[in-house]
Amino acid sequence: MRILLYRADGVIEPWVREFAALMPQVETVAWKEGQSLPPCDYAVVWSPEPALLDQLAHVRAIFLMGAGVDALLKLGAALPPVPIVRLGDAGMGVQMAEYVAHAVLRYFRRFEEYEQQARHGAWNPLPQTPKEEFTIGIMGLGRLGLPVVEALRVFGFTVRGWSRTPKDIPGVECFHGADGLDPFLRATRVLVCMLPLTPDTSNLLDRHNLGKLLPGAYLINVSRGAILAEPDLMTLIRSGHIVGATLDVFRHEPLPAPHPFWNEPRIAITPHISALTIRHDAVRQIAEKITALENGQPVGDIVDRDLGY
């Protein structure tokens, strides 16, 4: 068996070593643009280039090195008609819960304001918002969204959720579809975006929808930058309707030096690190799924190309 490996950043050797340890009987080959490889049985990729398509023509399945699928699906109908398999959790759910909980608590407990006071030598306890007035809305209730819901409920926050299809989560008021979006947004104080990027979610968080949030709202985006209309967020922050944001993902990454977000103190920026792939867990998961496919067994996490995730 031969497995093709490709990452846009070129960091392949650690993946080669992990596959060699878990699947010593398998040959792994790393593809570089302009190179022609012998036919491969499977491909494991991240952010592939169109030039890779010829190498994918005969694979039995394509595996992703992360949870997002938009970078692969943008190749469209040119992709071979084989299963595309995304990672399950692979250690990312806990990291996402850590990141979001930190951002929520930093806003709720007014820690940034205390830091500013401390820099000026001020000792001034600030009033705290009652939790019943601090409703948190989670957009996206999939495998990574559920650990975030659970983490926030530990602190006693009221958590609501919105998803494309109906969900039933104990203790969480759930909304779904276009009809559920408006009532979901209008009672949300902190909005956490964990949606996949699809044609339906592109620019979903624009001035129209963000403007429905409660006055003094806060935004946390850990999904994909293209879901957020960035100029609209700046407009709403400057107006005071949204008091701030924690953003881990952006339309263009790395975030360009002249981008206005860099000079807006009410926006906290991190470099797409809210949930990093734990390579050993990812390779173990991929190896198990390849073995299942080889034995004619079903595997989970197959991407629905029509839905985009």
Side-chain angles (χ1 to χ4, degrees):
M1 184 192 301
R2 183 178 295 116
I3 299 176
L4 180 152
L5 300 177
Y6 175 79
R7 287 182 61 91
D9 60 11
V11 181
I12 286 296
E13 281 306 312
W15 290 83
V16 172
R17 291 194 297 270
E18 293 283 0
F19 271 105
L22 288 175
M23 305 182 77
Q25 77 283 9
V26 170
E27 178 187 2
T28 56
V29 290
W31 179 83
K32 296 180 181 179
E33 188 168 359
Q35 182 182 16
S36 180
L37 298 175
C40 295
D41 301 285
Y42 298 97
V44 181
V45 303
W46 190 247
S47 297
E49 304 172 17
L52 182 61
L53 285 167
D54 288 343
Q55 296 293 151
L56 300 178
H58 302 292
V59 300
R60 300 177 206 165
I62 302 171
F63 292 84
L64 296 165
M65 293 177 175
V69 302
D70 47 287
L72 178 65
L73 292 186
K74 69 182 180 183
L75 299 177
L79 289 167
V82 298
I84 297 172
V85 188
R86 66 179 183 269
L87 283 183
D89 188 319
M92 291 180 282
V94 169
Q95 296 178 69
M96 198 72 82
E98 293 169 347
Y99 184 99
V100 173
H102 173 270
V104 168
L105 292 172
R106 182 172 172 80
Y107 171 46
F108 176 68
R109 294 297 305 272
R110 308 183 70 168
F111 287 141
E112 185 172 353
E113 295 171 78
Y114 284 121
E115 289 173 4
Q116 294 172 355
Q117 287 186 173
R119 284 193 289 270
H120 295 91
W123 182 282
N124 180 31
L126 300 170
Q128 189 164 306
T129 303
K131 281 189 177 176
E132 57 269 21
E133 299 176 14
F134 198 86
T135 302
I136 302 172
I138 311 292
M139 300 187 80
L141 299 172
R143 186 169 292 189
L144 298 182
L146 290 178
V148 172
V149 170
E150 294 169 2
L152 294 173
R153 292 192 65 212
V154 166
F155 295 106
F157 291 115
T158 297
V159 179
R160 308 160 90 237
W162 181 87
S163 55
R164 186 186 65 86
T165 56
K167 303 286 185 181
D168 184 8
I169 303 171
V172 177
E173 186 179 10
C174 294
F175 301 79
H176 70 277
D179 291 342
L181 184 59
D182 188 86
F184 166 78
L185 292 172
R186 291 191 183 280
T188 293
R189 175 73 176 269
V190 177
L191 181 65
V192 181
C193 181
M194 305 191 67
L195 295 169
L197 177 61
T198 70
D200 289 335
T201 63
S202 179
N203 288 314
L204 179 64
L205 300 183
D206 59 6
R207 188 183 311 187
H208 175 69
N209 283 325
L210 290 175
K212 297 174 183 176
L213 297 172
L214 291 170
Y218 194 89
L219 173 67
I220 301 168
N221 189 11
V222 291
S223 56
R224 287 292 183 265
I227 296 175
L228 173 65
E230 295 176 346
D232 292 358
L233 174 63
M234 287 296 297
T235 297
L236 290 168
I237 285 180
R238 287 168 177 163
S239 74
H241 184 77
I242 292 180
V243 298
T246 294
L247 306 178
D248 186 54
V249 290
F250 305 90
R251 192 170 296 268
H252 301 290
E253 297 180 0
L255 188 64
H259 198 288
F261 282 175
W262 287 116
N263 296 316
E264 175 48 72
R266 290 164 289 191
I267 295 179
I269 294 170
T270 54
H272 205 145
I273 50 79
S274 57
L276 300 173
T277 300
I278 299 176
R279 189 171 51 250
H280 178 76
D281 289 347
V283 172
R284 175 186 50 76
Q285 186 180 128
I286 293 169
E288 290 173 353
K289 290 179 178 179
I290 288 176
T291 300
L293 289 173
E294 287 290 300
N295 292 328
Q297 300 169 349
V299 299
D301 301 307
I302 293 180
V303 174
D304 185 321
R305 301 190 192 203
D306 293 330
L307 295 179
Y309 56 89

